[in-house]
Amino acid sequence: MTSFSSFPMREELARAISDMGFETPTPIQQKVIPQLLSQPIDIIGLAQTGTGKTAAFGLPLLHHTDLAQKHVQTLVLSPTRELCMQIQEELHRYGAHMKGLRITAVYGGVPIMGQIREVKAHPQVIVATPGRLIDLLERKALSLDLVKTVVLDEADEMLNMGFREDIDFILKNTPAREHTWLFSATMSNEVRGIAKRFMKKWEEFSAGAANVTNENIDHQYFVTNHHNRFETLQRLLDFAPGIYGIIFTRTKQDCQDVSEKLMKQGYHVSPLHGDMDQKMRSKVMERFKNKQLQAIVATDVAARGIDVNDITHVINYELPDDPEVYTHRSGRTARAGKSGICMSIVSPKEISNIRQIERLVKQRFNRSDIPDGAEVVRKRLFFYLEQIAHAEPQEDFAKLYQDSIHEQFEGMEKDELIRRLVWLQLKDTISNYQDSEDLNAGYESKERGRGFGNRSVRMFINIGQKDGINSPEQLLKFIIESTDVEAGMIDRVTVREMSSFFNVASTAAEFLQSTLSTKKLKGRKVRVEEAEQSSGGRSSGGGRERFGSGRGNSSGSRRSDDSRPSYGRGERSESRGESRGSSQKFNKRY
Ligand code: AMP
């Protein structure tokens, strides 16, 4: 594998890369950087955000920058203000040791006068949104006459946003342009159109599998009736206590409504949509980046500029109309080598849209059960216990109140004290989920069981994340390899910490159970049994006990497995709520 040190880059860049701790070039960087360093031809790079594409064009463009020349040599066009700022920031980091380098970002939504001053200070590189750049050109605040290289970043997004004519105008006004580097997540006729109009001969580079198929993303979908959509969202949020996510809605109105409803209930979220002015949007992004928000509720357009690497969950409150938009949304998680979850809430009618997206993403999506009240309470309980286990109380605080605390609880047993603390923490959740409804829907539709008739059996298996099975795909692979049962026979795989569930065609259930029960995974005997109360279709609760009135433990062995700590993949175990001394309402939800 190529390393950064093998790239013939100027020494200042190599030093910056090493300062930043980059070790291995990403796939798109491996392909693009050597070419553009040695011979900067015209290229099309197919890569999404998160694949390292900024460095793929940024390092070569800085390498070729002549620091002695005080005119604009490179122009980077990008669709949004946020992206412009991020690109500028990233380029600054790469060029940190290049003395005399000036990079200016210009974008709309802020007063133009300050930017006019900046572009007049002779930057070598300008990062711009098309609209603001044209404004500056028309005011003759800057000239692109000596620009040699133009980078079009997220070209498909710029076209989606209606910048086609602006891009054409700008490219026509770069008479000295020698190279055009076009980056796009997808290749459409319109993208190709730009290439045909403005590039003579180009080479295409693709980030390969990372382009649309990011194997680190666990795609899940939850089927519920339309009127239960909001409640389902709430439940998914409650079930992911450490979530740091983006919730996508289709319209600005939904974005506003959903976030308002969530905020009213004590969730720390904020909307992000195009009707908000730039100042408000920046504020939201700042709070999100500082982790003061657990999630942003965003429309597709507004979310374009979000560049945060540790998003744990993307939730599609509504699926987008265009499957390609799904890939943009899901690509917000599992970035820079991390893993992430993309959840979609769909109505039974929308299951066919999931199939379409699966084909595009070339990954199988997992239909997951919307958790019931008991599961939510259990999840939050163990999350809280984990937080206590890892809490590091401030020394001064602990000392200050040590005596009074001791005095107050002198006569109370430790277990009783813990019981009370846990109760105080969880009582609101428990009360919210008392007799909560089963929100799952659509199991009676013809989609059920995908190709295995209309009868399936819900199975329990005693292996889960603790056994190194971290995703439904991994469990499916294990089952198929152990039994030779066809993949199409198995559906609705849900992997939990200690155990998992899946549906299997009833015709294969017995065989699967007896075969799997002879197997071992990492030395542990595999146990498979029919999940309780499971019958052909979906039974209410699907074999899980309901929380509340009937608290009896009806699910025997499974219960003893599952009642140990359980954390969703990608969850963060540190506390956010408590550390900010937040209100009870906040604690209740977060
Ligand atoms: P981008 O796709 O350009 O938005 O980059 C996504 C993130 O990955 C940015 O925060 C980069 O700083 C980071 N990054 C880019 N290249 C590498 C690399 N080779 N190794 C580690 N991190 C990288």
Side-chain angles (χ1 to χ4, degrees), residues 138-158:
E138 282 171 349
R139 289 168 189 245
K140 304 230 180 306
L142 94 157
S143 153
L144 301 178
D145 285 353
L146 298 173
V147 165
K148 273 195 181 165
T149 307
V150 175
V151 181
L152 303 171
D153 192 27
E154 308 227 350
D156 50 349
E157 293 288 4
M158 288 199 278

Side-chain angles (χ1 to χ4, degrees), residues 395-439:
E395 281 278 321
D396 295 350
F397 168 82
K399 270 196 201 131
L400 189 62
Y401 294 106
Q402 194 166 316
D403 292 343
S404 4
I405 295 172
H406 184 74
E407 210 174 290
Q408 175 85 25
F409 297 112
E410 211 174 2
M412 196 183 287
E413 291 284 325
K414 177 181 154 199
D415 282 353
E416 177 60 19
L417 182 62
I418 294 174
R419 231 155 45 100
R420 289 187 192 198
L421 286 174
V422 169
W423 169 251
L424 280 178
Q425 174 74 17
L426 291 176
K427 68 180 173 32
D428 288 342
T429 311
I430 292 169
S431 131
N432 285 345
Y433 281 102
Q434 193 91 16
D435 292 325
S436 54
E437 219 186 308
D438 179 2
L439 297 173

Side-chain angles (χ1 to χ4, degrees), residues 338-350:
K338 301 195 175 99
S339 57
I341 298 176
C342 182
M343 298 172 152
S344 300
I345 303 173
V346 299
S347 68
K349 270 198 244 155
E350 290 167 329

Side-chain angles (χ1 to χ4, degrees), residues 57-67 69-77 84 87-89 91-92 95 98 100-106 118-119 121-128 133 142-144 147-151 181:
F57 65 74
L59 292 170
L61 86 78
L62 293 174
H63 176 81
H64 293 293
T65 299
D66 183 349
L67 295 173
Q69 301 287 330
K70 304 290 179 201
H71 59 253
V72 185
Q73 299 162 36
T74 306
L75 168 68
V76 182
L77 280 183
C84 274
I87 295 169
Q88 182 196 28
E89 212 173 286
L91 294 181
H92 269 144
M98 290 174 62
L101 174 69
R102 269 194 104 89
I103 304 164
T104 295
V106 293
E118 284 187 35
V119 294
H122 307 298
Q124 293 99 347
V125 181
I126 287 204
V127 187
L133 183 71
L142 94 157
S143 153
L144 301 178
V147 165
K148 273 195 181 165
T149 307
V150 175
V151 181
W181 302 344

Side-chain angles (χ1 to χ4, degrees), residues 4 20 22-26 29 48-55 90 93-94 307 309 335-336:
F4 279 109
M20 288 167 78
F22 288 7
E23 283 168 1
T24 323
T26 64
Q29 291 167 356
Q48 279 188 321
T49 24
T51 54
K53 69 179 162 58
T54 314
E90 192 94 359
R93 290 163 75 202
Y94 301 137
D307 176 49
N309 276 346
R335 298 180 54 164

Side-chain angles (χ1 to χ4, degrees), residues 515-575:
T515 316
L516 268 181
S517 297
T518 63
K519 307 283 175 197
K520 281 188 175 174
L521 179 65
K522 295 191 178 156
R524 220 160 68 79
K525 204 168 171 324
V526 174
R527 190 160 47 79
V528 181
E529 46 194 64
E530 200 171 314
E532 269 175 44
Q533 298 159 33
S534 191
S535 61
R538 170 162 222 288
S539 61
S540 144
R544 295 165 293 171
E545 94 269 38
R546 291 183 72 77
F547 195 82
S549 43
R551 265 197 221 180
N553 170 7
S554 62
S555 38
S557 55
R558 180 187 165 246
R559 186 72 178 93
S560 61
D561 258 357
D562 258 12
S563 57
R564 275 178 276 160
S566 155
Y567 307 100
R569 216 150 58 85
E571 275 195 19
R572 307 141 47 81
S573 58
E574 79 263 36
S575 152

